[in-house]
Amino acid sequence: MKILFIYPQEICYGIVHSFMDNFAEALMKEGVGVHKFDPKTTPPQNIVYFFRRKYDAVVDFYSGMVTSSDGCKGYLFDKFDCPVYQLCLDYPLYIADILDVPLKKHYILCGNDRYIPVIKTVMPHISNAYFFSMTGRDKGERKSFEERSKDVVFIGTYNDFRDSLFLLNNIDGDIKLLAQTLFSTMQDD
């Protein structure tokens, strides 16, 4: 089995690159051949050299290349004769430009299983969507807020935080207080 990983541009301070490197290493330990294409170190137009190779799957992690076309002949990723998997960690509508691409064999790996019905309803051209936990936990392992000994609220973003201030300041209830407290603590640190 051979898989092509297509890396993103630098986002999230390299956390996605680290995840992909660890994921690739785990697959290689299991005997899976993993080729890596990183637009950061290789000119994006060089992707054409990978079309001639035979892969069982292409996994794209927010490279943005899935939306590229070759003029009037269709989308570049349709030139791969295998399924193309996209990672969807954000809410699907935030990356609609990627998910709207009507590839022939387009699958979505969701970091949150609640995104699956949204994708299947709003984007029926997607071949299928699957839950893909980046933490390695099964989706059945969730605990209610009352059962948790600790809670973590992640309000981080790989965008400029100032773009989110309006949203943070207009949230209702306890979440607003938590977000403002966390934001204030981060500024003080």
Side-chain angles (χ1 to χ4, degrees):
M1 175 174 257
K2 285 195 318 190
I3 298 175
L4 174 63
F5 274 18
I6 300 177
Y7 280 65
Q9 299 297 327
E10 187 67 36
I11 58 172
C12 296
Y13 303 100
I15 192 70
V16 176
H17 276 76
S18 296
F19 168 75
M20 290 181 64
D21 287 338
N22 287 304
F23 186 28
E25 184 179 324
L27 288 171
M28 289 186 282
K29 283 182 182 175
E30 294 298 317
V32 175
V34 177
H35 293 162
K36 300 175 185 180
F37 182 81
D38 190 345
K40 187 172 71 174
T41 58
T42 306
Q45 62 269 24
N46 286 2
I47 192 73
V48 297
Y49 299 113
F50 290 85
F51 296 149
R52 293 186 288 246
R53 299 179 183 170
K54 178 73 176 143
Y55 292 104
D56 295 292
V58 171
V59 182
D60 181 65
F61 293 83
Y62 294 126
S63 73
M65 294 175 65
V66 73
T67 60
S68 301
S69 67
D70 61 352
C72 59
K73 297 179 185 172
Y75 291 99
L76 286 178
F77 279 26
D78 267 338
K79 301 218 178 296
F80 290 111
D81 188 26
C82 63
V84 174
Y85 293 86
Q86 295 285 151
L87 186 66
C88 178
L89 300 179
D90 293 315
Y91 190 74
L93 297 180
Y94 294 150
I95 58 169
D97 59 327
I98 293 171
L99 300 179
D100 281 343
V101 175
L103 299 178
K104 295 174 190 148
K105 299 174 187 174
H106 199 183
Y107 297 87
I108 308 303
L109 303 174
C110 300
N112 185 330
D113 63 319
R114 294 178 181 137
Y115 299 164
I116 294 171
V118 174
I119 290 169
K120 289 183 175 182
T121 302
V122 178
M123 299 155 183
H125 63 279
I126 299 290
S127 300
N128 210 342
Y130 303 99
F131 175 63
F132 183 77
S133 172
M134 290 185 66
T135 63
R137 292 176 31 192
D138 290 332
K139 61 183 174 183
E141 294 182 46
R142 286 193 186 123
K143 293 181 179 180
S144 69
F145 286 112
E146 293 78 24
E147 296 175 301
R148 298 178 190 177
S149 61
K150 295 184 178 110
D151 289 318
V152 176
V153 177
F154 178 72
I155 60 168
T157 176
Y158 49 85
N159 298 310
D160 189 320
F161 74 93
R162 290 170 285 239
D163 295 340
S164 301
L165 287 178
F166 175 78
L167 295 173
L168 288 175
N169 290 325
N170 289 296
I171 298 172
D172 291 329
D174 293 338
I175 298 294
K176 178 178 182 177
L177 180 61
L178 284 170
Q180 288 175 334
T181 303
L182 181 59
F183 187 73
S184 176
T185 302
M186 288 169 35
Q187 283 182 318
D188 293 342
D189 191 12

